[in-house]
Amino acid sequence: MEMRLVVLFLVVSVSLTEAAGCIPTTKPQCYKKSTNPDDDFYCEWDDPNPKENQTYTLYIWDSGKKSVLYMNTGNQSKKFIPLEELGVISSKTDIWVQTQVRNLTCNSSKISVILNCSVKYSKPNIASMERSAGNLFLSLDEPKDNKSVIYEIRWRERGSEWQNATFETKENTYKDLYTLHLHNRTVYQIQLRRQAKLHSLQCNDSHSLWSDWSALTDIPLEIHIPPVLHLDEKVWSNGTRDIKITWAATSAEETIGGVTYNMNLSVWSCGKPKRIQLSTLNQTFDISVTYSNASISIIATNKVGRSAPKKIIIPPVKHRNECVTFTNITKAKKRCLEWYKMEDGEILPNSVKKSKDKLIKHIKNEVQKFVRHYYILHIFSKQHQTAEMCPFYSIEGAPIKGPGGVNTTDLTHESVVLNWRHIPMAEQRGFLKHYIIWISGHGKTKLHKVPADKTSFLIKNLHPGTSYTISIAGKTIAGKGPNTTVNTETHSKEKGLSWQDQTILSVCVVAFLCTFICSFAARRFKRKLCPVVPSPVVDAAEFIYPQDQDLSQITEEVHEFVLLLRQELNKSTENVAPGQSTILQNFGLVVFEEEEEEGEEGEVTDLSFMKSCFYPNPSYRGKTLQLPENFHLTDSPIKDNDTESTYRNGLFFETKVQECDKTSL
C-alpha cells in the first residue's frame, strides 16, 4: 500500500511539474573522442523546451565511493569536462541532468557508464570515392587515434528503403577503404557512421557510442563520354585570334553533386601550359591566342571520377607565301621565335624549334640549304600576339624536277589546254617565280610565262592538223629546272565544229526550243480564253419497236425524175388517174422511152418546137410518175429562179422554177 502511495505521489509530482513548465532533458551522453586515456570528456543532451530560460546542473556520481565526482551548473546543453576535474574514472558512474525553471526542478533519466570506456568518434567523412563497373570505392578519413573501427553503411536508390552493412578496418592505415557493389547505371544515396573497437578488459563494445551519421551523399554515375568541344575562331589583323570554346553539359545523372572541368591550355610557344579550372556553371571559355598552333585539353570531373581527357589542336593560320609584319616589336616585354622546316605546306611533327633569345638572322645561318623554312615571331606586351610570319631559304637553287602530270585537254583545230601539277616543295629548292612553256611546231617556237600558282594554260592560234611539242619547266631566282614534254596534234579544220560554230549552233537550238515552247503556251492560253463551242445535247428518245419488226438495215432507193411546169398546155389533164397526185396538175411530166429497135414503127415526138427550160431525161419511159397521196406543195407563190424543197415519207423533192417560153406538147 505504501509503494502505491509513493508511485502515485511521483506521478502526481511529475504531472504538476510538467504543468508548471519544467520538462526534463534526455539522457546525457558523456564520452571522449578517442581511445587515448588522456583525452578530456564531453557531455551533451537534448533540451525538449529550449525557449524557456532554464538552468542545467550536470551530476556525475561515483557509485563505488557514493560521492559526487563532478557537478556543474549552466544554461548550455553541452559541457566540456577536463580530465583533471574528474580524477580516477575506472569505476562505474551514474550521470543525470537536473533542469530548473524558475522555482521548479526536474531530473532526467540516469545512465550508468565507465567513463574511461565511453568513446564516441566524430562522424566519418568521405575523403574520395570512385565508381567503376558497378563498384563504388570509398576512401574514409581515419579517427584521431588511428585504431581499428567498426563502420555501418547504409545505401538506397532515391525514394526506396535503406540497405545496411557493417565492416571493420585495420589499425594504422592512411585511409579507411571500402568497396560497395551497386548497379552500374543507377543513382544512389549513402550514409556512414562508426564505432570505436575497445580492447580493454573492463570495457566492451557496448560501452562505446556510435558516431553521428555522415551527411547524406548522392552517388552520381561515372562520366563515360568526354566533353565534345566546339571552336569558334575570329582572326584579327593585329596578330591575334579570339577562340571561343563551348561544350555541352554531361547528363543529369552524371552532374549530381557538381561537375568541374579542368583545362590545360598551351597558347604561348615558349612557355609552360596554363591550367584553368572551371565550374559546372560555365560551359564556355574565351581565350586569345597567337597565329601559331595552340593545344587545349579538357577533363570533366564529378564526385565519383573523371572522364577521359579530350585534347584538341587549334591549327595555325594559313601559311603566307610572302613575309608579313603585324605589329611593332619594340615595346614587347617578351619574345618567342619559332621556326620549322616545311614540306608541301605542312609542319613536320616534332620539328618545331623555339627560342626566346635568338634573332632571325641567326637562325638563317643554322637551317639546311635549299630547304624552305618558316618562322613566326611572337611577342607579349598586353597580350600574346604574332608580330611577323615569313617563309625563307638560307640559300636558293634551281628546281631539280619538272612539273608532273603534264597532259593536254580540250583539243581543237586551233587551240589546246595544257595541264600540270605543281613541283613538290622539297624539289623546288627556292621560291618559284613562274613556269616557262615552249610550243614548237609548224617551223616555229613560241614561249609563254605562266604565274607560279597556275596549273593550266590555254594555248591559242595554232595551225589545223599540225603536230606540236610542248615543254614546261619551273624557274626560281637561281634558274630554271628540267623540262617536262608532251606531244599533241591539232584537229583538221573540217573535223568537227569550232567553238564559235558550236556556240552559234547552241544559240540556234535554244532559240528554236524557246519558239516552240512559246507557241505551245500561246495555244494553250488561247484555248483558255476562247473555249470550244459545245456540241448540242440531244436528248435520248425512247423508241418502242414492235416485237415483230424487222430490224435489218434498210437501203433507201433513190429515183431521179424531172418535173416540168405546165404552162397553158392544150392537152387536157382530164385523163389523169385519180390516184395521181395533184401536184401533176401544175407540172407537165414527160418521160421518153428509148426505142427498143431502131427500125420499129412508132411516132416520135419532135421536141424542137418546145421552148421549155426543162428537158426530159431520155432514159425515162413515157409514164406518169405516181406520187404518194400525202405529197403536197406549199401554197407560197412561186417566183422565178426560186427553189423549194419538200420532204415527205422518205422522199426529198426540190423544185426550181425559172422563166421559160411557152411549151406545147
Side-chain angles (χ1 to χ4, degrees), residues 27-286:
K27 291 181 181 181
Q29 283 188 347
C30 292
Y31 57 86
K32 55 183 179 179
K33 293 185 177 182
S34 71
T35 57
N36 191 344
D38 298 331
D39 276 0
D40 298 323
F41 287 85
Y42 297 87
C43 289
E44 58 185 8
W45 56 90
D46 293 332
D47 184 5
N49 191 20
K51 295 182 180 180
E52 295 288 341
N53 187 12
Q54 302 176 125
T55 301
Y56 306 105
T57 302
L58 176 65
Y59 292 95
I60 301 178
W61 177 265
D62 190 342
S63 300
K65 295 180 180 181
K66 307 294 182 180
S67 62
V68 176
L69 290 178
Y70 180 82
M71 184 181 67
N72 183 272
T73 302
N75 56 6
Q76 300 294 327
S77 61
K78 187 174 183 179
K79 299 288 185 181
F80 170 71
I81 305 174
L83 181 62
E84 293 81 6
E85 296 184 12
L86 292 175
V88 180
I89 51 174
S90 58
S91 60
K92 183 175 290 188
T93 58
D94 296 331
I95 305 173
W96 73 92
V97 176
Q98 184 182 71
T99 304
Q100 181 177 359
V101 180
R102 295 184 296 275
N103 295 327
L104 300 175
T105 59
C106 52
N107 296 327
S108 68
S109 301
K110 293 181 181 180
I111 60 170
S112 296
V113 296
I114 299 174
L115 286 178
N116 201 33
C117 298
S118 181
V119 178
K120 182 180 180 180
Y121 285 140
S122 61
K123 61 183 178 181
N125 179 41
I126 301 176
S128 64
M129 53 185 172
E130 183 177 351
R131 190 171 182 177
S132 176
N135 294 321
L136 178 64
F137 303 97
L138 297 174
S139 177
L140 309 172
D141 64 328
E142 280 198 337
K144 190 168 64 173
D145 54 8
N146 291 330
K147 299 293 184 178
S148 60
V149 182
I150 301 173
Y151 281 91
E152 181 181 5
I153 182 172
R154 62 182 184 181
W155 68 95
R156 67 179 181 184
E157 298 181 23
R158 287 182 170 181
S160 63
E161 297 293 331
W162 288 105
Q163 301 180 59
N164 293 66
T166 57
F167 61 94
E168 295 184 12
T169 59
K170 297 180 180 180
E171 295 184 6
N172 300 321
T173 57
Y174 176 69
K175 295 290 182 183
D176 289 339
L177 304 177
Y178 181 69
T179 301
L180 180 64
H181 300 285
L182 303 174
H183 293 295
N184 193 23
R185 303 300 296 175
T186 306
V187 176
Y188 286 90
Q189 294 176 321
I190 64 169
Q191 282 185 303
L192 296 102
R193 65 178 182 174
R194 55 190 172 188
Q195 183 184 51
K197 189 174 182 180
L198 304 176
H199 301 283
S200 174
L201 295 178
Q202 61 179 353
C203 301
N204 54 57
D205 294 339
S206 62
H207 291 89
S208 62
L209 304 175
W210 281 105
S211 69
D212 296 333
W213 285 102
S214 63
L216 185 65
T217 303
D218 292 316
I219 309 299
L221 302 182
E222 56 182 320
I223 302 176
H224 288 280
I225 302 176
V228 179
L229 303 181
H230 300 279
L231 299 181
D232 291 327
E233 178 187 40
K234 187 173 183 179
V235 181
W236 300 98
S237 60
N238 62 349
T240 62
R241 293 181 290 168
D242 288 341
I243 305 296
K244 185 180 184 64
I245 308 170
T246 58
W247 60 90
T250 57
S251 65
E253 293 80 4
E254 296 173 347
T255 57
I256 294 174
V259 176
T260 58
Y261 297 93
N262 299 316
M263 300 183 67
N264 289 332
L265 305 177
S266 178
V267 298
W268 180 248
S269 301
C270 296
K272 295 181 179 180
K274 182 180 180 181
R275 295 183 178 180
I276 299 176
Q277 187 171 4
L278 304 176
S279 67
T280 185
L281 298 179
N282 295 325
Q283 294 170 7
T284 62
F285 184 74
D286 298 324

Side-chain angles (χ1 to χ4, degrees), residues 1-9:
M1 185 66 181
E2 293 179 355
M3 287 297 295
R4 292 180 180 178
L5 292 175
V6 171
V7 171
L8 180 61
F9 175 76

